[in-house]
Amino acid sequence: MTIKVDGIILAAGYSSRTGDFKMELRLGDKALLQHSIEAMMNLCSQVIVVAGFKSERIYHLTKDYPNVKVVLNPQFAKGMFS
């Protein structure tokens, strides 16, 4: 039996404690978001990235991953559980 599992990455926040936009921070030759996506790709049939703050940058970082779907949380300013 094959089980379909989707992964979710919450990437809508301000990254205010980091001082920089966390999803774009580099680790080696890739951004942290890209490392997170690639770690999930072998386990998940689809990775859903929830964007909000700087969503255009999330779309850019994920454009080369065919099994990644970006969804926009228009209420991201209300916090993680919005």
Side-chain angles (χ1 to χ4, degrees), residues 37 41 45-47 61-70:
I37 290 168
M41 285 173 55
S45 54
Q46 174 178 246
V47 177
L61 288 170
T62 60
K63 66 180 172 45
D64 294 328
Y65 297 97
N67 292 339
V68 171
K69 178 181 179 182
V70 178

Side-chain angles (χ1 to χ4, degrees), residues 2-76:
T2 303
I3 298 174
K4 180 182 173 191
V5 176
D6 289 346
I8 299 176
I9 299 173
L10 301 178
Y14 289 109
S15 302
S16 57
R17 291 175 291 174
T18 308
D20 277 322
F21 187 50
K22 197 180 328 179
M23 297 299 116
E24 287 183 321
L25 290 177
R26 306 299 285 186
L27 179 61
D29 61 341
K30 296 178 187 160
L32 287 177
L33 177 59
Q34 293 168 319
H35 281 286
S36 297
I37 290 168
E38 291 176 13
M40 298 173 83
M41 285 173 55
N42 291 331
L43 304 170
C44 303
S45 54
Q46 174 178 246
V47 177
I48 300 165
V49 179
V50 180
F53 181 65
K54 297 189 179 184
S55 60
E56 69 285 349
R57 294 183 183 184
I58 298 294
Y59 285 108
H60 177 74
L61 288 170
T62 60
K63 66 180 172 45
D64 294 328
Y65 297 97
N67 292 339
V68 171
K69 178 181 179 182
V70 178
V71 295
L72 183 63
N73 175 3
Q75 297 182 6
F76 71 91

